[in-house]
Amino acid sequence: MKLLLTHIKELLQVRENCPPKLSGKEMKELPTLKNAWVFISHGIIEDYGTMDKMGPHQGFKTLDCSGKTVLPAWCDSHTHIVYAGNREQEFVDRINGLSYQEIAEKGGGIVNSAKKLQQTSEEDLYQQSATRLEEVMCLGTGAIEIKSGYGLTTNAELKMLRVAKKLSEEYPITIKTTFLGAHAIPTEYKGNKDGYLDLLCNEMLPKVAKENLAEYVDIFCEEGYFSVVDMERILSEGKKHKLIPKVHVNQFNSIGGIAAAVKHKALSVDHLEVLTDEDLEALKNTDTMPVALPSCSYFLSIPYTPGRKMIDAGLPLALATDYNPGSTPSGNMNFVIATACIKMRLTPEEAINAATINGAYAMGLSKTHGSITKGKVANLIITKEIPSYGYLPYAFGSDLIDTVIINGKEIS
Ligand code: NIG
Ligand code: FE
């Protein structure tokens, strides 16, 4: 129940009063304590300080962190980890020259995953998803958002969200859920998008809300998927059920989704690989968090979200994995941080802030997650012995995690 970490070489992201989010120049600051201790009680960070001023915390289980760095666990605000099977054949098709869009037009992509998921039992889906969740916890993720969107029928969408809910009951990690019924137009509704939108509004959304299965509503606003008009309809309908928008926009094309999402008070707008100056302007001085997904860009060989430009323009930025079977079959936040530094030119400080405080904001978890603050949930990464925190993104292929603590418990 109680745990003391001592002799921490450097404790990162120490904030007595943690701001809800960090924007622009604020993202360059990463406050740390050298030669530090942290005391955890009942899953909460009760106290911390430097070794010369240790509180009366004797007699508890103690971890000697000599040479090690301690930081808040990652807050991964965008994933689709509840899915069935994989799509490595499409990966090979892309190597052989087909584009992501061409594969989707041939019946691959999201509808391919939906077919698999519809044929998978809830128990099997739970087991497959639990394996992924355990994997990302060991990689240092302490809070995660999970979307539906590979069901595309009422039953299958509800099945996905029930699996996510059961995961949150069985595991110590904090889980937030998002209804993404508008992820693709299912095969049965080909040529009848409005019919599917009617089903979403009249049947799926009310059931999701009644069973209290999601806090957020999402839509894939993109050419060939859903338009800005469709997005406005789904977000307005979601609002009637008290669902807050978090949306997929600007992955391949800029079609005006960002300004519309901001107007609907979206908590986050995610992807943004294609970002016009108007899109960037629309995000300024708003409460909407832009979220970049660099391992998706890596895997699909598409442009990276212009994170450097966005931060230089004064915007906040969060980083997440997008873990899913089609565009990002990886939930490794350490790789995301490294890729943000290497490919998007974020500094290590900016990347760590984007993956902790700003990631927590993008899940509505600012008060409880994302920093070393008294009273916040004890979600921590203890690294192996590393020379400095800049080594984390620098040594991008190495496993640098020694121990992960989630809700005050050591994860093995
Ligand atoms: O966030 N872009 C939309 N949805 C997912 C990928 C879906 C898939 O290919 O299965 C994403 O990248
Ligand atoms: Fe996604």
Side-chain angles (χ1 to χ4, degrees):
M1 279 287 131
K2 296 185 193 244
L3 183 63
L4 180 64
L5 313 187
T6 63
H7 303 92
I8 300 164
K9 183 177 168 191
E10 193 164 14
L11 179 63
L12 311 186
Q13 198 61 298
V14 184
R15 311 248 182 188
E16 205 179 304
N17 298 302
C18 186
K21 64 174 159 61
L22 301 168
S23 307
K25 287 197 177 70
E26 293 165 348
M27 291 186 69
K28 292 198 193 316
E29 303 294 324
L30 182 67
T32 77
L33 282 184
K34 296 216 166 117
N35 199 19
W37 56 273
V38 176
F39 183 59
I40 297 166
S41 173
H42 297 97
I44 299 292
I45 299 170
E46 195 172 289
D47 206 355
Y48 60 81
T50 47
M51 288 305 291
D52 55 333
K53 291 186 217 122
M54 239 256 290
H57 302 305
Q58 263 94 45
F60 304 113
K61 181 172 181 191
T62 301
L63 296 181
D64 182 339
C65 299
S66 296
K68 297 170 182 174
T69 296
V70 173
L71 66 153
W74 307 126
C75 295
D76 188 355
S77 67
H78 181 139
T79 86
H80 311 243
I81 66 162
V82 173
Y83 62 82
N86 291 291
R87 305 213 309 259
E88 65 270 36
Q89 184 52 49
E90 293 179 12
F91 168 64
V92 176
D93 290 344
R94 276 195 299 107
I95 294 170
N96 287 324
L98 287 183
S99 72
Y100 181 80
Q101 288 93 331
E102 283 165 342
I103 289 166
E105 277 154 25
K106 283 177 39 167
I110 297 164
V111 295
N112 181 6
S113 285
K115 207 190 302 161
K116 288 188 173 64
L117 190 139
Q118 288 162 11
Q119 291 160 356
T120 304
S121 71
E122 191 162 324
E123 184 49 36
D124 187 4
L125 185 62
Y126 175 82
Q127 290 307 335
Q128 292 188 38
S129 309
T131 303
R132 289 180 205 115
L133 189 67
E134 287 175 17
E135 182 201 2
V136 302
M137 287 163 65
C138 292
L139 289 166
T141 298
I144 192 166
E145 181 257 15
I146 303 177
K147 300 174 194 295
S148 71
Y150 287 120
L152 308 184
T153 65
T154 305
N155 282 345
E157 285 292 307
L158 293 175
K159 177 165 75 180
M160 288 186 79
L161 290 170
R162 274 193 223 108
V163 165
K165 191 174 185 180
K166 186 162 174 224
L167 290 170
S168 76
E169 288 159 4
E170 299 293 323
Y171 287 90
I173 183 169
T174 302
I175 296 179
K176 292 283 196 159
T177 50
T178 300
F179 173 60
L180 174 58
H183 196 193
I185 297 140
T187 319
E188 314 81 85
Y189 283 88
K190 215 168 172 195
N192 180 20
K193 185 177 68 174
D194 286 335
Y196 184 56
L197 288 167
D198 290 343
L199 178 76
L200 282 168
C201 294
N202 301 334
E203 191 175 291
M204 291 194 199
L205 268 168
K207 286 197 175 164
V208 167
K210 187 157 174 258
E211 287 192 42
N212 210 0
L213 288 172
E215 195 173 329
Y216 303 110
V217 60
D218 194 346
I219 180 164
F220 186 20
C221 183
E222 181 60 59
E223 280 175 19
Y225 293 83
F226 295 97
S227 68
V228 177
V229 172
D230 301 334
M231 183 175 89
E232 298 223 39
R233 177 172 176 200
I234 292 295
L235 300 191
S236 301
E237 206 58 34
K239 193 175 176 194
K240 292 185 193 157
H241 299 285
K242 301 199 164 47
L243 299 182
I244 298 162
K246 269 175 76 65
V247 295
H248 281 75
V249 281
N250 290 50
Q251 183 175 6
F252 302 106
N253 298 284
S254 171
I255 58 172
I258 292 182
V262 167
K263 187 178 87 189
H264 283 265
K265 303 211 177 322
L267 180 62
S268 72
V269 285
D270 303 31
H271 273 289
L272 320 180
E273 289 88 341
V274 177
L275 194 76
T276 65
D277 288 345
E278 294 81 66
D279 293 325
L280 195 145
E281 283 305 313
L283 284 165
K284 282 189 179 166
N285 303 313
T286 72
D287 293 330
T288 300
M289 177 63 69
V291 180
L293 310 164
S295 44
C296 173
S297 297
Y298 176 82
F299 188 73
L300 292 185
S301 301
I302 61 174
Y304 286 86
T305 304
R308 177 76 271 136
K309 186 174 168 188
M310 294 161 76
I311 294 172
D312 288 345
L315 292 183
L317 187 73
L319 290 168
T321 62
D322 198 17
Y323 196 173
N324 76 73
S327 72
T328 324
S330 162
N332 190 340
M333 281 295 282
N334 308 287
F335 178 77
V336 166
I337 276 98
T339 309
C341 293
I342 297 162
K343 294 291 184 186
M344 294 165 60
R345 290 182 47 236
L346 267 62
T347 64
E349 292 82 2
E350 288 169 335
I352 292 170
N353 281 324
T356 54
I357 292 177
N358 285 355
Y361 179 92
M363 288 187 275
L365 292 173
S366 295
K367 292 208 169 81
T368 49
H369 292 71
S371 65
I372 307 296
T373 303
K374 284 181 206 171
K376 279 198 175 181
V377 176
N379 283 358
L380 304 169
I381 295 170
I382 305 174
T383 71
K384 293 177 181 164
E385 293 194 21
I386 53 170
S388 72
Y389 62 75
Y391 194 80
L392 293 171
Y394 162 81
F396 71 94
S398 301
D399 171 13
L400 299 171
I401 296 181
D402 176 291
T403 305
V404 178
I405 296 172
I406 299 182
N407 220 352
K409 290 186 204 78
E410 285 172 69
I411 302 298
S412 54

